[in-house]
Amino acid sequence: MPSETDAVKAYFDAWNSHDTDAILSSLTPDGTYSDPVGGENLSGQAYADYASSLFTAFPDLKLELISNTVASNGIVAAPWLLFGTHKGPVGDYAPTNREVILPGCDFITVENGKVKKVIGYFDPEYLFNQLK
C-alpha cells in the first residue's frame, strides 16, 4: 500500500499534469476537496469541473511543494506555491496575461493509500490582487 507521502505525491502529480481523471483516481470514492474559492466538500464531477476551470484560467498552472510534507496520523501538511499565467476567466476577472504566484498549504487526509480529504488554505485576496 502506498505511504501517505506517496499518495500526496500522486495527487500533486495529477494536478501538475492537468489530468482531472488522475486527480479523481488519486481520491477515495468519497474523497472531498475544499478551498476558499472553490467551496466546501467538492467531490466527483464537481471537483473535476473546478480543476478544469483552473486549468482553463491558468493553462500553465503548476503546484510546487515548497518544503517537505509533514505526515502525522494520516494527515499530511503540504505547503505549496502555485504558479500560472492568467489566460482565462476567473470569476469576474477577464484574462490579463499576468503571471501569478500564490502561496498556500493543503491539509490532506490519507486513508488506505488514497486521498480522502483535502482542505486547501490560501488568501484569495492575494490572488485576486494579482489579477487587477
Side-chain angles (χ1 to χ4, degrees), residues 1-62:
M1 177 177 312
S3 71
E4 293 164 340
T5 54
D6 289 340
V8 169
K9 182 182 181 320
Y11 173 76
F12 276 93
D13 287 348
W15 265 93
N16 284 329
S17 66
H18 296 197
D19 185 341
T20 56
D21 289 336
I23 292 170
L24 294 180
S25 292
S26 71
L27 303 176
T28 62
D30 60 344
T32 62
Y33 175 86
S34 301
D35 80 25
V37 173
E40 292 187 18
N41 299 318
L42 299 177
S43 63
Q45 192 58 49
Y47 184 29
D49 291 347
Y50 177 60
S52 290
S53 73
L54 292 176
F55 300 145
T56 298
F58 303 99
D60 58 347
L61 181 147
K62 288 293 175 200

Side-chain angles (χ1 to χ4, degrees), residues 27-126:
L27 303 176
T28 62
D30 60 344
T32 62
Y33 175 86
S34 301
D35 80 25
V37 173
E40 292 187 18
N41 299 318
L42 299 177
S43 63
Q45 192 58 49
Y47 184 29
D49 291 347
Y50 177 60
S52 290
S53 73
L54 292 176
F55 300 145
T56 298
F58 303 99
D60 58 347
L61 181 147
K62 288 293 175 200
L63 288 163
E64 179 182 310
L65 292 172
I66 56 174
S67 67
N68 292 331
T69 57
V70 177
S72 178
N73 297 322
I75 298 176
V76 178
W80 47 259
L81 288 173
L82 178 147
F83 298 91
T85 307
H86 184 212
K87 300 275 189 181
V90 176
D92 295 335
Y93 294 91
T96 62
N97 290 317
R98 291 192 176 119
E99 292 182 9
V100 300
I101 299 174
L102 178 67
C105 187
D106 286 347
F107 287 86
I108 301 171
T109 303
V110 176
E111 182 178 274
N112 298 321
K114 295 257 188 178
V115 171
K116 181 172 179 66
K117 183 176 186 177
V118 179
I119 302 175
Y121 292 94
F122 59 87
D123 181 356
E125 185 176 345
Y126 185 80

